[in-house]
Short mmCIF file of all heavy atoms in Angstrom, two decimals:
data_model
loop_
_atom_site.label_atom_id
_atom_site.label_comp_id
_atom_site.label_asym_id
_atom_site.label_seq_id
_atom_site.Cartn_x
_atom_site.Cartn_y
_atom_site.Cartn_z
N LEU A 273 224.15 110.01 56.34
CA LEU A 273 223.82 108.78 55.67
C LEU A 273 225.13 108.03 55.52
O LEU A 273 226.02 108.47 54.82
CB LEU A 273 223.18 109.01 54.31
CG LEU A 273 222.91 107.75 53.49
CD1 LEU A 273 221.72 106.93 54.12
CD2 LEU A 273 222.62 108.09 52.08
N ILE A 274 225.22 106.86 56.16
CA ILE A 274 226.40 106.05 56.05
C ILE A 274 226.09 105.03 54.94
O ILE A 274 225.02 104.40 54.99
CB ILE A 274 226.68 105.26 57.35
CG1 ILE A 274 227.02 106.28 58.49
CG2 ILE A 274 227.81 104.30 57.14
CD1 ILE A 274 227.24 105.67 59.80
N THR A 275 226.97 104.87 54.01
CA THR A 275 226.65 103.97 52.92
C THR A 275 227.93 103.43 52.22
O THR A 275 228.95 104.10 52.23
CB THR A 275 225.69 104.62 51.89
OG1 THR A 275 225.39 103.67 50.90
CG2 THR A 275 226.34 105.82 51.24
N HIS A 276 227.75 102.31 51.65
CA HIS A 276 228.78 101.81 50.69
C HIS A 276 228.51 102.33 49.30
O HIS A 276 229.32 102.25 48.41
CB HIS A 276 228.59 100.29 50.54
CG HIS A 276 229.28 99.49 51.66
ND1 HIS A 276 228.83 98.28 52.05
CD2 HIS A 276 230.31 99.83 52.42
CE1 HIS A 276 229.62 97.84 53.00
NE2 HIS A 276 230.52 98.81 53.27
N ASP A 277 227.26 102.73 49.14
CA ASP A 277 226.68 102.89 47.79
C ASP A 277 226.71 104.29 47.26
O ASP A 277 225.86 105.08 47.62
CB ASP A 277 225.25 102.33 47.87
CG ASP A 277 224.66 102.10 46.53
OD1 ASP A 277 225.16 102.72 45.50
OD2 ASP A 277 223.73 101.37 46.42
N LEU A 278 227.70 104.62 46.44
CA LEU A 278 227.80 105.98 45.94
C LEU A 278 226.63 106.34 45.06
O LEU A 278 226.35 107.52 44.92
CB LEU A 278 229.15 106.15 45.23
CG LEU A 278 230.31 106.38 46.17
CD1 LEU A 278 231.61 106.13 45.45
CD2 LEU A 278 230.30 107.78 46.73
N GLY A 279 225.98 105.37 44.56
CA GLY A 279 224.82 105.62 43.69
C GLY A 279 223.72 106.31 44.47
O GLY A 279 223.07 107.25 43.98
N VAL A 280 223.46 105.86 45.69
CA VAL A 280 222.43 106.40 46.53
C VAL A 280 222.79 107.84 46.98
O VAL A 280 221.89 108.72 47.04
CB VAL A 280 222.24 105.53 47.79
CG1 VAL A 280 221.28 106.21 48.79
CG2 VAL A 280 221.75 104.21 47.41
N VAL A 281 224.05 108.08 47.18
CA VAL A 281 224.45 109.38 47.73
C VAL A 281 224.00 110.55 46.88
O VAL A 281 223.48 111.52 47.40
CB VAL A 281 226.01 109.39 47.83
CG1 VAL A 281 226.50 110.74 48.21
CG2 VAL A 281 226.48 108.38 48.87
N ALA A 282 224.18 110.40 45.55
CA ALA A 282 223.85 111.50 44.67
C ALA A 282 222.40 112.01 44.83
O ALA A 282 222.16 113.21 44.81
CB ALA A 282 224.07 111.07 43.19
N GLY A 283 221.50 111.06 45.01
CA GLY A 283 220.11 111.45 45.10
C GLY A 283 219.73 112.09 46.43
O GLY A 283 218.76 112.84 46.50
N LEU A 284 220.46 111.79 47.45
CA LEU A 284 220.02 112.17 48.78
C LEU A 284 220.83 113.25 49.52
O LEU A 284 220.31 114.00 50.30
CB LEU A 284 220.00 110.88 49.66
CG LEU A 284 219.09 110.88 50.78
CD1 LEU A 284 217.63 111.00 50.40
CD2 LEU A 284 219.29 109.53 51.59
N CYS A 285 222.15 113.28 49.20
CA CYS A 285 223.03 114.11 50.02
C CYS A 285 223.59 115.27 49.25
O CYS A 285 223.55 115.28 48.02
CB CYS A 285 224.15 113.21 50.56
SG CYS A 285 223.56 111.87 51.53
N ASP A 286 224.09 116.25 49.98
CA ASP A 286 224.77 117.32 49.24
C ASP A 286 226.30 117.36 49.52
O ASP A 286 227.03 117.97 48.77
CB ASP A 286 224.16 118.71 49.55
CG ASP A 286 223.45 118.77 50.85
OD1 ASP A 286 224.07 118.38 51.83
OD2 ASP A 286 222.29 119.19 50.86
N ARG A 287 226.72 116.70 50.58
CA ARG A 287 228.15 116.64 50.83
C ARG A 287 228.57 115.22 51.18
O ARG A 287 227.74 114.43 51.65
CB ARG A 287 228.56 117.63 51.88
CG ARG A 287 228.41 119.11 51.46
CD ARG A 287 228.73 120.05 52.52
NE ARG A 287 228.00 119.75 53.74
CZ ARG A 287 228.45 119.82 54.97
NH1 ARG A 287 229.72 120.17 55.12
NH2 ARG A 287 227.75 119.52 55.98
N VAL A 288 229.86 114.96 50.88
CA VAL A 288 230.31 113.58 51.09
C VAL A 288 231.63 113.59 51.86
O VAL A 288 232.56 114.42 51.60
CB VAL A 288 230.57 112.91 49.67
CG1 VAL A 288 231.01 111.48 49.85
CG2 VAL A 288 229.38 112.95 48.84
N LEU A 289 231.74 112.69 52.80
CA LEU A 289 232.92 112.46 53.58
C LEU A 289 233.41 111.04 53.20
O LEU A 289 232.73 110.09 53.40
CB LEU A 289 232.54 112.54 55.09
CG LEU A 289 233.59 112.75 56.13
CD1 LEU A 289 234.22 114.11 56.01
CD2 LEU A 289 232.89 112.61 57.46
N VAL A 290 234.59 110.98 52.62
CA VAL A 290 235.12 109.69 52.26
C VAL A 290 236.11 109.27 53.32
O VAL A 290 237.10 110.00 53.62
CB VAL A 290 235.86 109.77 50.89
CG1 VAL A 290 236.32 108.37 50.46
CG2 VAL A 290 234.89 110.35 49.79
N VAL A 291 235.86 108.13 53.97
CA VAL A 291 236.81 107.67 55.03
C VAL A 291 237.55 106.41 54.57
O VAL A 291 236.99 105.57 53.83
CB VAL A 291 236.06 107.43 56.36
CG1 VAL A 291 235.57 108.73 56.93
CG2 VAL A 291 234.94 106.44 56.21
N TYR A 292 238.81 106.34 55.03
CA TYR A 292 239.58 105.15 54.77
C TYR A 292 240.38 104.88 56.04
O TYR A 292 241.09 105.78 56.55
CB TYR A 292 240.51 105.42 53.56
CG TYR A 292 241.28 104.19 53.19
CD1 TYR A 292 240.64 103.10 52.56
CD2 TYR A 292 242.66 104.06 53.47
CE1 TYR A 292 241.34 101.95 52.26
CE2 TYR A 292 243.35 102.92 53.16
CZ TYR A 292 242.72 101.85 52.53
OH TYR A 292 243.36 100.72 52.22
N ALA A 293 240.35 103.64 56.50
CA ALA A 293 241.12 103.23 57.68
C ALA A 293 240.96 104.22 58.82
O ALA A 293 241.94 104.59 59.46
CB ALA A 293 242.57 103.00 57.31
N GLY A 294 239.74 104.67 59.03
CA GLY A 294 239.46 105.50 60.22
C GLY A 294 239.77 106.95 60.07
O GLY A 294 239.81 107.69 61.05
N ARG A 295 240.15 107.36 58.80
CA ARG A 295 240.44 108.80 58.59
C ARG A 295 239.67 109.35 57.42
O ARG A 295 239.34 108.62 56.48
CB ARG A 295 241.89 108.97 58.30
CG ARG A 295 242.75 108.92 59.49
CD ARG A 295 244.00 109.80 59.37
NE ARG A 295 244.57 109.86 60.70
CZ ARG A 295 245.84 109.59 60.97
NH1 ARG A 295 246.66 109.30 59.94
NH2 ARG A 295 246.27 109.67 62.15
N VAL A 296 239.44 110.65 57.47
CA VAL A 296 238.84 111.28 56.29
C VAL A 296 239.92 111.42 55.24
O VAL A 296 240.99 111.95 55.51
CB VAL A 296 238.35 112.73 56.68
CG1 VAL A 296 237.82 113.42 55.47
CG2 VAL A 296 237.31 112.64 57.76
N VAL A 297 239.67 110.94 54.04
CA VAL A 297 240.67 111.10 52.98
C VAL A 297 240.25 112.13 51.93
O VAL A 297 241.03 112.78 51.28
CB VAL A 297 241.02 109.75 52.24
CG1 VAL A 297 241.73 108.82 53.22
CG2 VAL A 297 239.81 109.09 51.70
N GLU A 298 238.89 112.33 51.82
CA GLU A 298 238.39 113.37 50.96
C GLU A 298 237.09 113.86 51.40
O GLU A 298 236.28 113.12 52.00
CB GLU A 298 238.32 112.88 49.50
CG GLU A 298 238.03 114.00 48.49
CD GLU A 298 238.33 113.63 47.10
OE1 GLU A 298 238.73 112.48 46.79
OE2 GLU A 298 238.15 114.54 46.17
N TYR A 299 236.84 115.14 51.18
CA TYR A 299 235.61 115.73 51.63
C TYR A 299 235.18 116.82 50.61
O TYR A 299 236.07 117.56 50.11
CB TYR A 299 235.80 116.42 52.99
CG TYR A 299 234.63 117.21 53.46
CD1 TYR A 299 233.48 116.57 53.98
CD2 TYR A 299 234.57 118.59 53.33
CE1 TYR A 299 232.34 117.30 54.37
CE2 TYR A 299 233.50 119.33 53.72
CZ TYR A 299 232.40 118.72 54.24
OH TYR A 299 231.27 119.43 54.63
N GLY A 300 233.93 116.84 50.24
CA GLY A 300 233.49 117.88 49.29
C GLY A 300 232.00 117.78 49.00
O GLY A 300 231.33 116.88 49.61
N THR A 301 231.53 118.63 48.14
CA THR A 301 230.14 118.52 47.73
C THR A 301 229.98 117.31 46.86
O THR A 301 230.97 116.77 46.37
CB THR A 301 229.70 119.77 46.93
OG1 THR A 301 230.49 119.79 45.72
CG2 THR A 301 229.95 121.01 47.70
N VAL A 302 228.77 116.87 46.66
CA VAL A 302 228.52 115.73 45.80
C VAL A 302 229.11 116.02 44.40
O VAL A 302 229.74 115.10 43.82
CB VAL A 302 227.02 115.42 45.70
CG1 VAL A 302 226.70 114.48 44.55
CG2 VAL A 302 226.45 114.91 47.02
N GLU A 303 228.96 117.24 43.91
CA GLU A 303 229.50 117.55 42.62
C GLU A 303 231.01 117.38 42.57
O GLU A 303 231.58 116.75 41.65
CB GLU A 303 229.14 118.92 42.15
CG GLU A 303 227.63 119.14 41.82
CD GLU A 303 226.75 119.20 43.08
OE1 GLU A 303 227.24 119.51 44.13
OE2 GLU A 303 225.57 118.81 42.95
N GLN A 304 231.67 117.92 43.57
CA GLN A 304 233.13 117.82 43.67
C GLN A 304 233.58 116.41 43.70
O GLN A 304 234.47 115.98 42.99
CB GLN A 304 233.64 118.59 44.89
CG GLN A 304 233.60 120.10 44.76
CD GLN A 304 233.78 120.79 46.10
OE1 GLN A 304 233.61 120.19 47.17
NE2 GLN A 304 234.11 122.07 46.03
N ILE A 305 232.92 115.61 44.55
CA ILE A 305 233.36 114.20 44.70
C ILE A 305 233.05 113.41 43.48
O ILE A 305 233.87 112.56 43.01
CB ILE A 305 232.65 113.59 45.92
CG1 ILE A 305 233.06 114.28 47.23
CG2 ILE A 305 232.96 112.07 46.01
CD1 ILE A 305 234.47 114.15 47.61
#
Side-chain angles (χ1 to χ4, degrees):
Chain A
L273 177 72
I274 297 176
T275 183
H276 278 152
D277 192 339
L278 278 162
V280 171
V281 171
L284 204 60
C285 300
D286 27 49
R287 290 177 307 140
V288 182
L289 197 65
V290 183
V291 291
Y292 184 73
R295 280 213 169 128
V296 177
V297 294
E298 187 163 3
Y299 173 78
T301 63
V302 168
E303 289 74 25
Q304 287 165 342
I305 298 295

